[in-house]
Amino acid sequence: MSLSDLKIPLLVLAAVLLLVIPADLTGFGIPWPGLRRYGMFILSLWLVTSIAAMGVNLIMGYAGQESLAQAAFLGIGAYTTAILTKAGVPFGVAFVVSGIASFLIGIILGFPALRVQKHYLAFVTLAFSVFVWLVIRNEEWLTGGVSGIQDVSRPSLFGISLKPALYYYWFICAITAMLGAAMWWIIRSPWGRAFTALRENAIRAESLGIDVRGYKLLAFAIGSAYGGFAGALYAPLVEFIDPTPFALASSLLYLLMVMLGGMGTLIGPFIGAGVAVLFPEWLRFAEGLAPILFAVIVMIMVALCPTGIVGLFERIFVKRRRPHADDKGPVLGEVKS
Amino acid sequence: MSDFLQLVIAGLATGAIYALAAIGFTLLWQTSQTINFAQGEFVMLPAFFALAAMKWWGLPFSIAALLAIAMSMLVLGVMFKNIIVDPLIKQGVLPMVISTIALAIFLKDGVKDVYSAEAQSFPTILPDIILPIPGIKISLAQVGVLVVAFSTIMGLSWFLAGTRTGRQMQATAQHPTVARILGVNVERMVMYTFLINAGLAAMASLLISPIYLAKFSNGETLGLVAFVAAIVGGFNQVRGAIAGGLIVGVIDNLAAAYVSTSYRQAVPLALLVLIILFRPQGLLGRKEERAI
Amino acid sequence: MSSTNSSVLSVRNLAKSFGGVQAVRNVSFEVRQGEILGLIGPNGSGKTTLFNCILGQSLPTDGEVHVDGRNVTGLRPSQLSLLGIGRTFQLLQVFPQLTVTENLILAGQEHKGSRLTRLLGAADAGLSGDAERMIEFFRLGHLAHDKSGGLSYGQQKLLDCAMAFMAGPRLVLLDEPAGGVNLSMLANLKERLQAINAETGATFVVIEHNMEFVMSLCTRIIVLAEGEIIAEGSPDAVRRDPKVIEAYLGH
């Protein structure tokens, strides 16, 4: 029984658990009181973080680029949604606008940066991060400056208010599932194959007709759009936004968590996001240590197992069906060059 | 116009410091393909070595400063290379980038937790006395910065062009495989680059901390400035890093005076965007062969 | 509809220098449809640089490249691929993490439909059938679902070739296809190349060091030395040309 056979049943099980765990089941005769508000908040935060992490995973794990601006796109999504919904625009519209705006900004940012040397996207996104931070902090008339925006309301769906924590959590679950499915579709499509190819061997990919520049740009724009979508969900979740979570430091954390979870896999971002969200909780007693320990763990992981937690899992639990790809021992009659 | 001149001179002073950070960064990239995203933190940390030495061991500033430089070369040079960079070389560039980013977070929060979250005042190498030159208000400290920074740069340039080891380092930076064939001990050259970067970062730290105050969060701005300077100058040239650093320093200083303080930080960013749009190989860089 | 003897590839006065080094100087030649042109020369004579200039990997410092009468100088490799020009590389460049079939689908997918249809359409871009046929043609049948990284060197070379042909190119540039391949595989490879040439009428330009391979495969040979063409003609004529002998012995 290999891991791939278990994938679908595991996924279904995980989905059921995710939906059911926070709910109070005592009314159904099951002795499970569910999670309190804070527990549901953490789960919600984890899913929102995972969405943004999926975006970074596409940019980094598939297209091999570094984006230091994912938190900025979250900020763009969050503020766009907060401002629009306060102005009476329906959440659905604000959500879509957040994603599209992030996509377009991604194209504008990426176009000059990807024309040039390899790492320029990192520097451009670094600069963009700082710039967005400055704008959010300074343009008080729009963003409330350092004080931020209060009372961001949660949407209603088909007349039902999503203000209760459990309902909004389920809403986030649904959106995450849709975005996750979309990501899965992209990855298995020819686009995903092109992304993988350009990460593994851009020159060869180019010679096969793959427009490497175009696909890199596409990956960056889609990944950034996911950041925008995550931000749109984040604002009503926390109901009060200020510039702090959207600073450069948070963008850096996204890179780390995607690496930690397992780059280039579908489930890696969820794992990495889980660790990132839970870490400060576990280390409540020594709050300042959380980023330091996280950084150290990532450094160790990168050196020992760059395929992340998913890779670690595969190494330990999944037996290889074929001999290792590297040992091409001499085949009869084969002459090594 | 003397106001303007003052700003330019002050800008050249800070620019020379940025140049130190940018040169080390460029050298590391050229010789060992290491993109050190923790470069800003490398310029933030040594000042805290000095502060700790003065506060915890009661050492005088001059000794503390030398100790800081030595510690930097050990920690940010040797240890950085052996513990972080070497194990990752074979994994490719992306893991190395992530690791240096993690290192940046580690150093930044480390200083915040171990020493202080507050900005610390930092002693100048030369006292801050205004020099009696008519028309320009320039302090001895600023002159000191200019002199120290420029002599460091001169010393480095002389070393690279005038000594055998220096030329070997240049060869390693430009064509490592060829250098190896010619008998250059490439591994040792690479180690020297790391040591030089650490040393330059330490110098930059000691020079900039009196001006900016030593704070754990300085790394972000200093790093950004170093990257912009390196890119403006042309990523693969040391001379470019110097030019880039000076330009960024002057523009940054002028911006502080003429642009609102809330958007002052955006000015080097604007410079970065302009360069990438209109002259991506930087001012002094060579036009790269077609990149994919 | 082009006549059978039209020039598919026309290189005119091509030159390329790197810094102070002149790798290619004033090279001109034509390749007619259906030809298999061999490009030989001692090491460092500029063959791969010439290929790179033709294929958009490098920008020539001077001269032009025309394909089917159209000026393609300086176009990017992906654009050239979409115009029907394929290549293989000297250093093996398959995608080791993908299976043989996936490698082939990758090689052909950009030529199918538009970018949008590729996202919304089938995961294999409708190429599973073509990939199967290509695998059969190159006799890699039993390996269709194996990761290409696990294949033997010779098998990977065959795959590399197969990838270059997936999109049905008019012109293929092969950079040392015989390098490192054992004798039995070599005969297989040569025979398959000749078969494709006969079947599709595709034009080949082949860089090779393996004299026997290139002489028996190619219909015409060009000899490059120090960036210039020093001889041109049938394999027999070139083999006996004293300038060619000297160029090789001199190294």
Side-chain angles (χ1 to χ4, degrees), chain A residues 185 188-191 193-194 197 200-201 203-204 206-211 213-215 325 328 333-335 337, chain C residues 57 76-78 81 87 89 93 95 97 105-106 109-111 115 118-120 122-123 149 151 154 160 180 182:
Chain A
W185 178 268
R188 68 185 271 289
S189 77
W191 281 20
R193 209 174 289 115
E200 297 226 336
N201 193 336
I203 295 184
R204 183 56 158 138
E206 182 86 24
S207 75
L208 294 172
I210 294 173
D211 176 12
R213 268 191 336 218
Y215 275 105
K328 292 202 289 274
E334 183 81 36
V335 170
S337 60
Chain C
Q57 207 68 55
R76 297 168 52 81
S78 53
S81 168
R87 80 168 288 179
F89 287 80
Q93 307 215 7
F95 294 93
Q97 294 301 317
I105 293 179
L106 180 65
Q109 69 177 37
E110 295 303 301
H111 299 256
R115 195 171 297 189
R118 266 174 261 137
L119 174 67
L120 301 172
L151 267 53
D160 199 25
N182 70 27

Side-chain angles (χ1 to χ4, degrees), chain B residues 212-237:
Chain B
Y212 277 10
L213 300 183
K215 191 168 181 195
F216 73 98
S217 55
N218 280 352
E220 271 183 30
T221 358
L222 290 171
L224 186 58
V225 168
F227 303 148
V228 175
I231 291 173
V232 164
F235 216 126
N236 43 12
Q237 298 268 2

Side-chain angles (χ1 to χ4, degrees), chain C residues 89-105:
Chain C
F89 287 80
Q90 196 176 358
L91 286 175
L92 202 49
Q93 307 215 7
V94 298
F95 294 93
Q97 294 301 317
L98 298 179
T99 66
V100 169
T101 309
E102 282 173 352
N103 265 279
L104 289 170
I105 293 179

Side-chain angles (χ1 to χ4, degrees), chain B residues 115-130:
Chain B
Y115 198 82
S116 166
E118 302 292 320
Q120 312 284 318
S121 65
F122 197 82
T124 54
I125 295 184
L126 289 175
D128 208 2
I129 315 168
I130 307 292

